[in-house]
Amino acid sequence: ADAAVVVVSVERGAEVQTEEVLLHAARWRVPVVFALNKIDLPRAHIELTRAELRRQCQRLLEQGLVDVDWTREAEQAVPTSALLQQNLGELVRSLCGIIEGLPSLPTRPALPPTLTPGEGR
């Protein structure tokens, strides 16, 4: 994976699954973009969820479970509504900004397939 998109519901907040995703992202050393989803709900607590996400990222770092500080990324989490398709373009732009900064794989022509005698039967 080139990057991870971590979607956190503003209804439920950062849960155990969020921590698990961050542990995997740290292990695979991929950048992270956060999305705060369900902002269309009447009881959406965007800033509360953002603060909770920042605290979770800080706690993982302080406990030595990850060696990456994602508090800035958590602060810049994109509020979205998948249902109403709000801010999805902004989320894609955030992701593209991260992916553009990654080194690209070298491009070279593919080698033709070869068969070793006795294999592929």
Side-chain angles (χ1 to χ4, degrees):
D2 291 333
V5 177
V6 180
V7 180
V8 178
S9 166
V10 295
E11 181 180 39
R12 299 182 67 155
E15 298 183 295
V16 175
Q17 297 91 329
T18 308
E19 186 174 310
E20 291 172 359
V21 169
L22 293 174
L23 292 173
H24 285 292
R27 185 176 68 208
W28 291 103
R29 303 208 178 279
V30 295
V32 171
V33 172
F34 292 102
L36 303 179
N37 195 33
K38 298 187 179 184
I39 63 169
D40 54 281
L41 296 176
R43 295 175 53 133
H45 301 287
I46 297 170
E47 291 309 314
L48 182 64
T49 305
R50 192 184 310 265
E52 181 182 319
L53 188 55
R54 269 195 323 267
R55 282 192 303 273
Q56 189 175 43
C57 291
Q58 186 64 37
R59 185 177 50 77
L60 289 173
L61 183 65
E62 288 171 356
Q63 292 177 350
L65 297 173
V66 298
D67 58 355
V68 182
D69 183 2
W70 284 305
T71 54
R72 193 180 106 239
E73 287 84 352
E75 181 63 36
Q76 296 173 348
V78 180
T80 63
S81 169
L83 180 67
L84 301 179
Q85 299 181 2
Q86 289 178 327
N87 297 334
L88 298 182
E90 184 181 341
L91 179 61
V92 169
R93 283 189 292 281
S94 291
L95 187 58
C96 287
I98 285 178
I99 291 173
E100 287 172 357
L102 296 175
S104 60
L105 295 173
T107 56
R108 62 176 188 246
L111 299 174
T114 58
L115 291 177
T116 304
E119 290 184 5
R121 292 184 184 187

PDB file of all heavy atoms in Angstrom, residues 74-114:
ATOM      1  N   ALA A  74      -3.939  14.105  12.201  1.00  0.00           N
ATOM      2  CA  ALA A  74      -5.232  14.019  12.876  1.00  0.00           C
ATOM      3  C   ALA A  74      -5.879  15.401  12.945  1.00  0.00           C
ATOM      4  O   ALA A  74      -7.091  15.542  12.774  1.00  0.00           O
ATOM      5  CB  ALA A  74      -5.072  13.427  14.272  1.00  0.00           C
ATOM      6  N   GLU A  75      -5.077  16.424  13.184  1.00  0.00           N
ATOM      7  CA  GLU A  75      -5.591  17.789  13.236  1.00  0.00           C
ATOM      8  C   GLU A  75      -6.146  18.222  11.879  1.00  0.00           C
ATOM      9  O   GLU A  75      -7.095  18.993  11.799  1.00  0.00           O
ATOM     10  CB  GLU A  75      -4.480  18.744  13.687  1.00  0.00           C
ATOM     11  CG  GLU A  75      -4.897  20.174  13.801  1.00  0.00           C
ATOM     12  CD  GLU A  75      -5.973  20.409  14.847  1.00  0.00           C
ATOM     13  OE1 GLU A  75      -5.958  19.740  15.895  1.00  0.00           O
ATOM     14  OE2 GLU A  75      -6.844  21.256  14.610  1.00  0.00           O
ATOM     15  N   GLN A  76      -5.556  17.700  10.804  1.00  0.00           N
ATOM     16  CA  GLN A  76      -5.974  18.054   9.453  1.00  0.00           C
ATOM     17  C   GLN A  76      -6.983  17.059   8.874  1.00  0.00           C
ATOM     18  O   GLN A  76      -7.234  17.066   7.670  1.00  0.00           O
ATOM     19  CB  GLN A  76      -4.751  18.140   8.540  1.00  0.00           C
ATOM     20  CG  GLN A  76      -3.790  19.231   8.935  1.00  0.00           C
ATOM     21  CD  GLN A  76      -2.509  19.186   8.136  1.00  0.00           C
ATOM     22  OE1 GLN A  76      -2.219  18.238   7.432  1.00  0.00           O
ATOM     23  NE2 GLN A  76      -1.727  20.246   8.248  1.00  0.00           N
ATOM     24  N   ALA A  77      -7.579  16.221   9.714  1.00  0.00           N
ATOM     25  CA  ALA A  77      -8.560  15.234   9.246  1.00  0.00           C
ATOM     26  C   ALA A  77      -9.666  15.926   8.460  1.00  0.00           C
ATOM     27  O   ALA A  77     -10.163  16.978   8.850  1.00  0.00           O
ATOM     28  CB  ALA A  77      -9.144  14.476  10.438  1.00  0.00           C
ATOM     29  N   VAL A  78     -10.027  15.322   7.342  1.00  0.00           N
ATOM     30  CA  VAL A  78     -11.025  15.907   6.447  1.00  0.00           C
ATOM     31  C   VAL A  78     -12.423  15.486   6.891  1.00  0.00           C
ATOM     32  O   VAL A  78     -12.728  14.293   6.903  1.00  0.00           O
ATOM     33  CB  VAL A  78     -10.779  15.453   4.991  1.00  0.00           C
ATOM     34  CG1 VAL A  78     -11.812  16.069   4.059  1.00  0.00           C
ATOM     35  CG2 VAL A  78      -9.368  15.806   4.548  1.00  0.00           C
ATOM     36  N   PRO A  79     -13.283  16.432   7.273  1.00  0.00           N
ATOM     37  CA  PRO A  79     -14.657  16.069   7.623  1.00  0.00           C
ATOM     38  C   PRO A  79     -15.438  15.718   6.359  1.00  0.00           C
ATOM     39  O   PRO A  79     -15.422  16.486   5.390  1.00  0.00           O
ATOM     40  CB  PRO A  79     -15.204  17.331   8.289  1.00  0.00           C
ATOM     41  CG  PRO A  79     -14.276  18.426   7.955  1.00  0.00           C
ATOM     42  CD  PRO A  79     -12.998  17.835   7.463  1.00  0.00           C
ATOM     43  N   THR A  80     -16.089  14.572   6.357  1.00  0.00           N
ATOM     44  CA  THR A  80     -16.798  14.102   5.161  1.00  0.00           C
ATOM     45  C   THR A  80     -18.172  13.552   5.514  1.00  0.00           C
ATOM     46  O   THR A  80     -18.450  13.220   6.663  1.00  0.00           O
ATOM     47  CB  THR A  80     -16.017  12.977   4.452  1.00  0.00           C
ATOM     48  OG1 THR A  80     -15.917  11.864   5.339  1.00  0.00           O
ATOM     49  CG2 THR A  80     -14.642  13.416   4.013  1.00  0.00           C
ATOM     50  N   SER A  81     -18.992  13.469   4.488  1.00  0.00           N
ATOM     51  CA  SER A  81     -20.254  12.744   4.572  1.00  0.00           C
ATOM     52  C   SER A  81     -20.339  11.890   3.321  1.00  0.00           C
ATOM     53  O   SER A  81     -20.548  12.416   2.219  1.00  0.00           O
ATOM     54  CB  SER A  81     -21.457  13.691   4.632  1.00  0.00           C
ATOM     55  OG  SER A  81     -22.654  12.952   4.460  1.00  0.00           O
ATOM     56  N   ALA A  82     -20.153  10.602   3.488  1.00  0.00           N
ATOM     57  CA  ALA A  82     -20.256   9.700   2.345  1.00  0.00           C
ATOM     58  C   ALA A  82     -21.692   9.696   1.824  1.00  0.00           C
ATOM     59  O   ALA A  82     -21.921   9.658   0.614  1.00  0.00           O
ATOM     60  CB  ALA A  82     -19.812   8.293   2.734  1.00  0.00           C
ATOM     61  N   LEU A  83     -22.646   9.784   2.730  1.00  0.00           N
ATOM     62  CA  LEU A  83     -24.057   9.763   2.353  1.00  0.00           C
ATOM     63  C   LEU A  83     -24.412  10.945   1.449  1.00  0.00           C
ATOM     64  O   LEU A  83     -25.057  10.784   0.419  1.00  0.00           O
ATOM     65  CB  LEU A  83     -24.936   9.780   3.608  1.00  0.00           C
ATOM     66  CG  LEU A  83     -26.436   9.762   3.371  1.00  0.00           C
ATOM     67  CD1 LEU A  83     -26.860   8.429   2.753  1.00  0.00           C
ATOM     68  CD2 LEU A  83     -27.177   9.986   4.680  1.00  0.00           C
ATOM     69  N   LEU A  84     -23.965  12.135   1.835  1.00  0.00           N
ATOM     70  CA  LEU A  84     -24.270  13.347   1.065  1.00  0.00           C
ATOM     71  C   LEU A  84     -23.152  13.728   0.106  1.00  0.00           C
ATOM     72  O   LEU A  84     -23.230  14.757  -0.565  1.00  0.00           O
ATOM     73  CB  LEU A  84     -24.562  14.513   2.017  1.00  0.00           C
ATOM     74  CG  LEU A  84     -25.728  14.307   2.982  1.00  0.00           C
ATOM     75  CD1 LEU A  84     -25.887  15.525   3.886  1.00  0.00           C
ATOM     76  CD2 LEU A  84     -27.017  14.015   2.226  1.00  0.00           C
ATOM     77  N   GLN A  85     -22.096  12.940   0.071  1.00  0.00           N
ATOM     78  CA  GLN A  85     -20.930  13.158  -0.788  1.00  0.00           C
ATOM     79  C   GLN A  85     -20.284  14.527  -0.529  1.00  0.00           C
ATOM     80  O   GLN A  85     -19.845  15.200  -1.448  1.00  0.00           O
ATOM     81  CB  GLN A  85     -21.296  12.982  -2.256  1.00  0.00           C
ATOM     82  CG  GLN A  85     -21.801  11.591  -2.566  1.00  0.00           C
ATOM     83  CD  GLN A  85     -22.146  11.394  -4.023  1.00  0.00           C
ATOM     84  OE1 GLN A  85     -21.976  12.283  -4.855  1.00  0.00           O
ATOM     85  NE2 GLN A  85     -22.621  10.214  -4.352  1.00  0.00           N
ATOM     86  N   GLN A  86     -20.221  14.926   0.732  1.00  0.00           N
ATOM     87  CA  GLN A  86     -19.603  16.192   1.106  1.00  0.00           C
ATOM     88  C   GLN A  86     -18.111  16.018   1.338  1.00  0.00           C
ATOM     89  O   GLN A  86     -17.684  15.072   2.013  1.00  0.00           O
ATOM     90  CB  GLN A  86     -20.223  16.739   2.396  1.00  0.00           C
ATOM     91  CG  GLN A  86     -21.630  17.247   2.232  1.00  0.00           C
ATOM     92  CD  GLN A  86     -22.191  17.737   3.558  1.00  0.00           C
ATOM     93  OE1 GLN A  86     -21.871  17.219   4.618  1.00  0.00           O
ATOM     94  NE2 GLN A  86     -23.041  18.742   3.487  1.00  0.00           N
ATOM     95  N   ASN A  87     -17.342  16.906   0.773  1.00  0.00           N
ATOM     96  CA  ASN A  87     -15.890  17.004   0.973  1.00  0.00           C
ATOM     97  C   ASN A  87     -15.111  15.795   0.474  1.00  0.00           C
ATOM     98  O   ASN A  87     -13.955  15.613   0.857  1.00  0.00           O
ATOM     99  CB  ASN A  87     -15.549  17.262   2.446  1.00  0.00           C
ATOM    100  CG  ASN A  87     -16.105  18.578   2.935  1.00  0.00           C
ATOM    101  OD1 ASN A  87     -16.312  19.500   2.157  1.00  0.00           O
ATOM    102  ND2 ASN A  87     -16.348  18.666   4.225  1.00  0.00           N
ATOM    103  N   LEU A  88     -15.711  14.978  -0.365  1.00  0.00           N
ATOM    104  CA  LEU A  88     -14.977  13.822  -0.891  1.00  0.00           C
ATOM    105  C   LEU A  88     -13.851  14.267  -1.820  1.00  0.00           C
ATOM    106  O   LEU A  88     -12.785  13.651  -1.846  1.00  0.00           O
ATOM    107  CB  LEU A  88     -15.927  12.857  -1.594  1.00  0.00           C
ATOM    108  CG  LEU A  88     -17.011  12.246  -0.709  1.00  0.00           C
ATOM    109  CD1 LEU A  88     -17.863  11.266  -1.503  1.00  0.00           C
ATOM    110  CD2 LEU A  88     -16.427  11.582   0.521  1.00  0.00           C
ATOM    111  N   GLY A  89     -14.079  15.339  -2.560  1.00  0.00           N
ATOM    112  CA  GLY A  89     -13.021  15.890  -3.408  1.00  0.00           C
ATOM    113  C   GLY A  89     -11.833  16.353  -2.585  1.00  0.00           C
ATOM    114  O   GLY A  89     -10.680  16.144  -2.967  1.00  0.00           O
ATOM    115  N   GLU A  90     -12.106  16.978  -1.442  1.00  0.00           N
ATOM    116  CA  GLU A  90     -11.037  17.430  -0.550  1.00  0.00           C
ATOM    117  C   GLU A  90     -10.246  16.233  -0.014  1.00  0.00           C
ATOM    118  O   GLU A  90      -9.016  16.275   0.091  1.00  0.00           O
ATOM    119  CB  GLU A  90     -11.622  18.234   0.605  1.00  0.00           C
ATOM    120  CG  GLU A  90     -10.584  18.811   1.522  1.00  0.00           C
ATOM    121  CD  GLU A  90     -11.188  19.594   2.678  1.00  0.00           C
ATOM    122  OE1 GLU A  90     -12.366  19.995   2.591  1.00  0.00           O
ATOM    123  OE2 GLU A  90     -10.469  19.795   3.661  1.00  0.00           O
ATOM    124  N   LEU A  91     -10.958  15.150   0.308  1.00  0.00           N
ATOM    125  CA  LEU A  91     -10.287  13.941   0.787  1.00  0.00           C
ATOM    126  C   LEU A  91      -9.381  13.360  -0.297  1.00  0.00           C
ATOM    127  O   LEU A  91      -8.230  12.996  -0.029  1.00  0.00           O
ATOM    128  CB  LEU A  91     -11.319  12.907   1.234  1.00  0.00           C
ATOM    129  CG  LEU A  91     -10.781  11.577   1.729  1.00  0.00           C
ATOM    130  CD1 LEU A  91      -9.890  11.768   2.949  1.00  0.00           C
ATOM    131  CD2 LEU A  91     -11.937  10.638   2.053  1.00  0.00           C
ATOM    132  N   VAL A  92      -9.879  13.319  -1.521  1.00  0.00           N
ATOM    133  CA  VAL A  92      -9.072  12.808  -2.638  1.00  0.00           C
ATOM    134  C   VAL A  92      -7.856  13.702  -2.854  1.00  0.00           C
ATOM    135  O   VAL A  92      -6.742  13.202  -3.081  1.00  0.00           O
ATOM    136  CB  VAL A  92      -9.924  12.688  -3.924  1.00  0.00           C
ATOM    137  CG1 VAL A  92      -9.061  12.412  -5.136  1.00  0.00           C
ATOM    138  CG2 VAL A  92     -10.975  11.596  -3.762  1.00  0.00           C
ATOM    139  N   ARG A  93      -8.039  15.020  -2.772  1.00  0.00           N
ATOM    140  CA  ARG A  93      -6.892  15.933  -2.933  1.00  0.00           C
ATOM    141  C   ARG A  93      -5.848  15.719  -1.837  1.00  0.00           C
ATOM    142  O   ARG A  93      -4.643  15.739  -2.101  1.00  0.00           O
ATOM    143  CB  ARG A  93      -7.363  17.386  -2.957  1.00  0.00           C
ATOM    144  CG  ARG A  93      -7.985  17.799  -4.279  1.00  0.00           C
ATOM    145  CD  ARG A  93      -8.240  19.300  -4.351  1.00  0.00           C
ATOM    146  NE  ARG A  93      -9.282  19.729  -3.428  1.00  0.00           N
ATOM    147  CZ  ARG A  93     -10.595  19.604  -3.641  1.00  0.00           C
ATOM    148  NH1 ARG A  93     -11.018  19.070  -4.766  1.00  0.00           N
ATOM    149  NH2 ARG A  93     -11.468  20.033  -2.748  1.00  0.00           N
ATOM    150  N   SER A  94      -6.286  15.500  -0.614  1.00  0.00           N
ATOM    151  CA  SER A  94      -5.349  15.224   0.484  1.00  0.00           C
ATOM    152  C   SER A  94      -4.563  13.951   0.208  1.00  0.00           C
ATOM    153  O   SER A  94      -3.345  13.903   0.411  1.00  0.00           O
ATOM    154  CB  SER A  94      -6.092  15.077   1.806  1.00  0.00           C
ATOM    155  OG  SER A  94      -6.629  16.287   2.217  1.00  0.00           O
ATOM    156  N   LEU A  95      -5.254  12.945  -0.240  1.00  0.00           N
ATOM    157  CA  LEU A  95      -4.606  11.669  -0.544  1.00  0.00           C
ATOM    158  C   LEU A  95      -3.635  11.815  -1.711  1.00  0.00           C
ATOM    159  O   LEU A  95      -2.504  11.317  -1.661  1.00  0.00           O
ATOM    160  CB  LEU A  95      -5.656  10.602  -0.835  1.00  0.00           C
ATOM    161  CG  LEU A  95      -5.169   9.186  -1.012  1.00  0.00           C
ATOM    162  CD1 LEU A  95      -4.414   8.708   0.217  1.00  0.00           C
ATOM    163  CD2 LEU A  95      -6.336   8.263  -1.292  1.00  0.00           C
ATOM    164  N   CYS A  96      -4.056  12.526  -2.741  1.00  0.00           N
ATOM    165  CA  CYS A  96      -3.173  12.731  -3.900  1.00  0.00           C
ATOM    166  C   CYS A  96      -1.932  13.519  -3.514  1.00  0.00           C
ATOM    167  O   CYS A  96      -0.837  13.235  -4.009  1.00  0.00           O
ATOM    168  CB  CYS A  96      -3.923  13.439  -5.021  1.00  0.00           C
ATOM    169  SG  CYS A  96      -5.127  12.388  -5.857  1.00  0.00           S
ATOM    170  N   GLY A  97      -2.095  14.484  -2.623  1.00  0.00           N
ATOM    171  CA  GLY A  97      -0.941  15.259  -2.163  1.00  0.00           C
ATOM    172  C   GLY A  97       0.091  14.388  -1.482  1.00  0.00           C
ATOM    173  O   GLY A  97       1.293  14.584  -1.652  1.00  0.00           O
ATOM    174  N   ILE A  98      -0.367  13.423  -0.732  1.00  0.00           N
ATOM    175  CA  ILE A  98       0.556  12.503  -0.059  1.00  0.00           C
ATOM    176  C   ILE A  98       1.188  11.543  -1.060  1.00  0.00           C
ATOM    177  O   ILE A  98       2.393  11.314  -1.047  1.00  0.00           O
ATOM    178  CB  ILE A  98      -0.173  11.728   1.048  1.00  0.00           C
ATOM    179  CG1 ILE A  98      -0.405  12.646   2.229  1.00  0.00           C
ATOM    180  CG2 ILE A  98       0.604  10.493   1.474  1.00  0.00           C
ATOM    181  CD1 ILE A  98      -1.148  12.017   3.368  1.00  0.00           C
ATOM    182  N   ILE A  99       0.373  11.003  -1.939  1.00  0.00           N
ATOM    183  CA  ILE A  99       0.877  10.016  -2.900  1.00  0.00           C
ATOM    184  C   ILE A  99       1.878  10.649  -3.864  1.00  0.00           C
ATOM    185  O   ILE A  99       2.874  10.027  -4.219  1.00  0.00           O
ATOM    186  CB  ILE A  99      -0.296   9.356  -3.652  1.00  0.00           C
ATOM    187  CG1 ILE A  99      -1.075   8.470  -2.676  1.00  0.00           C
ATOM    188  CG2 ILE A  99       0.183   8.552  -4.846  1.00  0.00           C
ATOM    189  CD1 ILE A  99      -2.340   7.892  -3.248  1.00  0.00           C
ATOM    190  N   GLU A 100       1.641  11.904  -4.259  1.00  0.00           N
ATOM    191  CA  GLU A 100       2.575  12.581  -5.167  1.00  0.00           C
ATOM    192  C   GLU A 100       3.951  12.734  -4.552  1.00  0.00           C
ATOM    193  O   GLU A 100       4.947  12.778  -5.255  1.00  0.00           O
ATOM    194  CB  GLU A 100       2.024  13.944  -5.572  1.00  0.00           C
ATOM    195  CG  GLU A 100       0.862  13.856  -6.533  1.00  0.00           C
ATOM    196  CD  GLU A 100       0.206  15.199  -6.782  1.00  0.00           C
ATOM    197  OE1 GLU A 100       0.614  16.204  -6.161  1.00  0.00           O
ATOM    198  OE2 GLU A 100      -0.726  15.240  -7.588  1.00  0.00           O
ATOM    199  N   GLY A 101       4.021  12.803  -3.228  1.00  0.00           N
ATOM    200  CA  GLY A 101       5.303  12.953  -2.548  1.00  0.00           C
ATOM    201  C   GLY A 101       6.065  11.656  -2.373  1.00  0.00           C
ATOM    202  O   GLY A 101       7.201  11.659  -1.926  1.00  0.00           O
ATOM    203  N   LEU A 102       5.433  10.533  -2.709  1.00  0.00           N
ATOM    204  CA  LEU A 102       6.096   9.240  -2.550  1.00  0.00           C
ATOM    205  C   LEU A 102       6.999   8.950  -3.734  1.00  0.00           C
ATOM    206  O   LEU A 102       6.704   9.364  -4.856  1.00  0.00           O
ATOM    207  CB  LEU A 102       5.047   8.125  -2.432  1.00  0.00           C
ATOM    208  CG  LEU A 102       4.138   8.178  -1.216  1.00  0.00           C
ATOM    209  CD1 LEU A 102       3.075   7.095  -1.311  1.00  0.00           C
ATOM    210  CD2 LEU A 102       4.936   8.025   0.056  1.00  0.00           C
ATOM    211  N   PRO A 103       8.080   8.230  -3.508  1.00  0.00           N
ATOM    212  CA  PRO A 103       8.932   7.858  -4.639  1.00  0.00           C
ATOM    213  C   PRO A 103       8.178   6.884  -5.542  1.00  0.00           C
ATOM    214  O   PRO A 103       7.425   6.036  -5.081  1.00  0.00           O
ATOM    215  CB  PRO A 103      10.145   7.176  -3.985  1.00  0.00           C
ATOM    216  CG  PRO A 103       9.677   6.775  -2.635  1.00  0.00           C
ATOM    217  CD  PRO A 103       8.567   7.712  -2.250  1.00  0.00           C
ATOM    218  N   SER A 104       8.373   7.044  -6.821  1.00  0.00           N
ATOM    219  CA  SER A 104       7.684   6.155  -7.758  1.00  0.00           C
ATOM    220  C   SER A 104       8.557   4.946  -8.057  1.00  0.00           C
ATOM    221  O   SER A 104       9.786   4.985  -7.950  1.00  0.00           O
ATOM    222  CB  SER A 104       7.339   6.890  -9.045  1.00  0.00           C
ATOM    223  OG  SER A 104       8.514   7.369  -9.655  1.00  0.00           O
ATOM    224  N   LEU A 105       7.907   3.897  -8.439  1.00  0.00           N
ATOM    225  CA  LEU A 105       8.630   2.691  -8.830  1.00  0.00           C
ATOM    226  C   LEU A 105       9.252   2.919 -10.195  1.00  0.00           C
ATOM    227  O   LEU A 105       8.678   3.619 -11.035  1.00  0.00           O
ATOM    228  CB  LEU A 105       7.679   1.497  -8.886  1.00  0.00           C
ATOM    229  CG  LEU A 105       7.069   1.088  -7.551  1.00  0.00           C
ATOM    230  CD1 LEU A 105       6.022  -0.004  -7.770  1.00  0.00           C
ATOM    231  CD2 LEU A 105       8.135   0.596  -6.611  1.00  0.00           C
ATOM    232  N   PRO A 106      10.396   2.335 -10.436  1.00  0.00           N
ATOM    233  CA  PRO A 106      11.003   2.501 -11.760  1.00  0.00           C
ATOM    234  C   PRO A 106      10.126   1.848 -12.822  1.00  0.00           C
ATOM    235  O   PRO A 106       9.521   0.802 -12.583  1.00  0.00           O
ATOM    236  CB  PRO A 106      12.356   1.788 -11.635  1.00  0.00           C
ATOM    237  CG  PRO A 106      12.215   0.885 -10.465  1.00  0.00           C
ATOM    238  CD  PRO A 106      11.171   1.473  -9.570  1.00  0.00           C
ATOM    239  N   THR A 107      10.030   2.511 -13.951  1.00  0.00           N
ATOM    240  CA  THR A 107       9.253   1.931 -15.046  1.00  0.00           C
ATOM    241  C   THR A 107      10.214   1.330 -16.056  1.00  0.00           C
ATOM    242  O   THR A 107      11.206   1.936 -16.435  1.00  0.00           O
ATOM    243  CB  THR A 107       8.372   2.993 -15.726  1.00  0.00           C
ATOM    244  OG1 THR A 107       9.206   4.066 -16.160  1.00  0.00           O
ATOM    245  CG2 THR A 107       7.317   3.519 -14.765  1.00  0.00           C
ATOM    246  N   ARG A 108       9.909   0.141 -16.462  1.00  0.00           N
ATOM    247  CA  ARG A 108      10.700  -0.535 -17.482  1.00  0.00           C
ATOM    248  C   ARG A 108       9.778  -1.511 -18.197  1.00  0.00           C
ATOM    249  O   ARG A 108       8.764  -1.936 -17.651  1.00  0.00           O
ATOM    250  CB  ARG A 108      11.891  -1.255 -16.870  1.00  0.00           C
ATOM    251  CG  ARG A 108      11.518  -2.337 -15.899  1.00  0.00           C
ATOM    252  CD  ARG A 108      12.768  -3.082 -15.413  1.00  0.00           C
ATOM    253  NE  ARG A 108      12.357  -4.216 -14.630  1.00  0.00           N
ATOM    254  CZ  ARG A 108      12.568  -4.369 -13.337  1.00  0.00           C
ATOM    255  NH1 ARG A 108      13.234  -3.464 -12.680  1.00  0.00           N
ATOM    256  NH2 ARG A 108      12.149  -5.440 -12.708  1.00  0.00           N
ATOM    257  N   PRO A 109      10.113  -1.862 -19.406  1.00  0.00           N
ATOM    258  CA  PRO A 109       9.246  -2.793 -20.129  1.00  0.00           C
ATOM    259  C   PRO A 109       9.196  -4.147 -19.416  1.00  0.00           C
ATOM    260  O   PRO A 109      10.178  -4.586 -18.815  1.00  0.00           O
ATOM    261  CB  PRO A 109       9.899  -2.930 -21.503  1.00  0.00           C
ATOM    262  CG  PRO A 109      11.049  -1.981 -21.532  1.00  0.00           C
ATOM    263  CD  PRO A 109      11.250  -1.431 -20.167  1.00  0.00           C
ATOM    264  N   ALA A 110       8.054  -4.783 -19.484  1.00  0.00           N
ATOM    265  CA  ALA A 110       7.914  -6.105 -18.882  1.00  0.00           C
ATOM    266  C   ALA A 110       8.707  -7.125 -19.687  1.00  0.00           C
ATOM    267  O   ALA A 110       8.821  -7.027 -20.907  1.00  0.00           O
ATOM    268  CB  ALA A 110       6.444  -6.502 -18.852  1.00  0.00           C
ATOM    269  N   LEU A 111       9.265  -8.071 -18.978  1.00  0.00           N
ATOM    270  CA  LEU A 111       9.995  -9.137 -19.667  1.00  0.00           C
ATOM    271  C   LEU A 111       8.995 -10.131 -20.245  1.00  0.00           C
ATOM    272  O   LEU A 111       7.953 -10.396 -19.639  1.00  0.00           O
ATOM    273  CB  LEU A 111      10.925  -9.845 -18.681  1.00  0.00           C
ATOM    274  CG  LEU A 111      12.004  -8.970 -18.043  1.00  0.00           C
ATOM    275  CD1 LEU A 111      12.750  -9.752 -16.972  1.00  0.00           C
ATOM    276  CD2 LEU A 111      12.960  -8.461 -19.095  1.00  0.00           C
ATOM    277  N   PRO A 112       9.320 -10.700 -21.402  1.00  0.00           N
ATOM    278  CA  PRO A 112       8.395 -11.691 -21.961  1.00  0.00           C
ATOM    279  C   PRO A 112       8.371 -12.928 -21.065  1.00  0.00           C
ATOM    280  O   PRO A 112       9.379 -13.256 -20.426  1.00  0.00           O
ATOM    281  CB  PRO A 112       8.980 -11.990 -23.341  1.00  0.00           C
ATOM    282  CG  PRO A 112      10.406 -11.562 -23.283  1.00  0.00           C
ATOM    283  CD  PRO A 112      10.480 -10.473 -22.245  1.00  0.00           C
ATOM    284  N   PRO A 113       7.243 -13.614 -21.025  1.00  0.00           N
ATOM    285  CA  PRO A 113       7.176 -14.817 -20.179  1.00  0.00           C
ATOM    286  C   PRO A 113       8.113 -15.889 -20.719  1.00  0.00           C
ATOM    287  O   PRO A 113       8.312 -16.022 -21.911  1.00  0.00           O
ATOM    288  CB  PRO A 113       5.722 -15.239 -20.282  1.00  0.00           C
ATOM    289  CG  PRO A 113       5.206 -14.608 -21.519  1.00  0.00           C
ATOM    290  CD  PRO A 113       6.006 -13.369 -21.728  1.00  0.00           C
ATOM    291  N   THR A 114       8.695 -16.633 -19.813  1.00  0.00           N
ATOM    292  CA  THR A 114       9.552 -17.753 -20.203  1.00  0.00           C
ATOM    293  C   THR A 114       9.080 -18.998 -19.498  1.00  0.00           C
ATOM    294  O   THR A 114       8.580 -18.947 -18.366  1.00  0.00           O
ATOM    295  CB  THR A 114      11.028 -17.485 -19.819  1.00  0.00           C
ATOM    296  OG1 THR A 114      11.103 -17.259 -18.415  1.00  0.00           O
ATOM    297  CG2 THR A 114      11.577 -16.276 -20.540  1.00  0.00           C
TER     298      THR A 114
END
